[in-house]
Amino acid sequence: MCSALSRLVIERPGYSRPVFATPAPKAPSVTGGAPWLLTPGDRPGRPRLPVRRGIPGAVLFDRDGTLIHDVPYNGDPARVRLIPHARAAVDAVREWGVPVGVVTNQSGVARGLLTPGAVEAVRRRVEELLGPFDIWAVCPHGPADGCGCRKPAPGLIHAACAALGTAPHRAVVLGDIGADLAAARAAGAQGVLVPNEVTRPEEIADATRTAPDLLTAVRGLPTRAGGAP
């Protein structure tokens, strides 16, 4: 009989690290651990532009409230709905040849409200709607777990940039709340706030850069040498 841990993670073709199976039990422990990193393995890649000054080294998107509508502790792929312009925004970055990633807090795992398999099922649905991302960095910890990856800590951004082979100061983080921008600042990355109905006025006032929607935020990023991200 398989142990709980062996049922928890499986090797999925196309990924270089273990990813979580859709039917999976609650993780044995997430306290104080590292983020989950899901990276493409032998999946055919797209051509990338050579690294040039002024071009972002990576664009990292928050998930809930930025790419998809925020459904608290959602583990149901059927409830995934895209934010307007999300597909156009992600595709615009891909057209530059810049890596795209997702950095997301999923404390529902630590709280016992989500299984790793549910997080993986939602990830698969997001990629069905938006296409494949170059990296997913997921924090499964709760606020009291003492990890260094839960936003506003910078760990997710550091981990995603390391996996993509780019320096954090060359990354751009797009999010909808102050914790996203605080994580970007702590990592040395640029942050752009795309407010929605849950964004607090003080978060908007504190943001260095804001945009009315995700596509406008992406179109405002530098795409030519000589720009300054």
Side-chain angles (χ1 to χ4, degrees):
M1 180 178 295
C2 296
S3 67
L5 184 58
S6 65
R7 293 196 305 271
L8 177 65
V9 293
I10 61 171
E11 290 286 347
R12 182 182 175 207
Y15 281 81
S16 59
R17 301 190 183 196
V19 298
F20 296 100
T22 299
K26 180 183 174 182
S29 174
V30 295
T31 302
W36 296 342
L37 293 179
L38 309 181
T39 59
D42 56 6
R43 184 170 57 196
R46 64 183 186 283
R48 298 238 177 110
L49 293 175
V51 173
R52 292 183 291 171
R53 183 179 177 184
I55 302 290
V59 176
L60 306 175
F61 296 85
D62 171 57
R63 195 192 81 174
D64 302 313
T66 301
L67 289 174
I68 62 175
H69 287 276
D70 188 2
V71 178
Y73 308 119
N74 181 36
D76 182 0
R79 300 183 72 187
V80 172
R81 294 186 301 122
L82 294 183
I83 295 287
H85 311 301
R87 180 70 198 234
V90 176
D91 281 348
V93 179
R94 291 188 178 115
E95 288 175 4
W96 307 338
V98 172
V100 289
V102 177
V103 287
T104 177
N105 290 349
Q106 294 299 321
S107 68
V109 178
R111 300 174 196 269
L113 302 173
L114 289 173
T115 64
V119 175
E120 166 64 3
V122 169
R123 184 200 65 79
R124 292 183 191 181
R125 178 56 179 160
V126 171
E127 290 207 339
E128 286 177 0
L129 296 172
L130 291 176
F133 287 83
D134 297 285
I135 184 71
W136 284 73
V138 180
C139 173
H141 310 110
D145 285 339
C147 71
C149 54
R150 177 177 168 81
K151 294 179 287 185
L156 289 181
I157 298 167
H158 284 156
C161 288
L164 294 172
T166 192
H169 76 270
R170 297 194 60 243
V172 179
V173 179
L174 304 177
D176 66 312
I177 61 174
D180 299 316
L181 268 62
R185 283 194 297 268
Q190 177 188 347
V192 182
L193 186 71
V194 185
N196 56 33
E197 64 277 3
V198 305
T199 313
R200 298 194 301 268
E202 60 268 29
E203 294 175 325
I204 298 173
D206 188 53
T208 302
R209 294 188 62 181
T210 64
D213 60 70
L214 201 58
L215 185 56
T216 301
V218 165
R219 285 175 172 169
L221 299 179
T223 59
R224 295 182 301 175

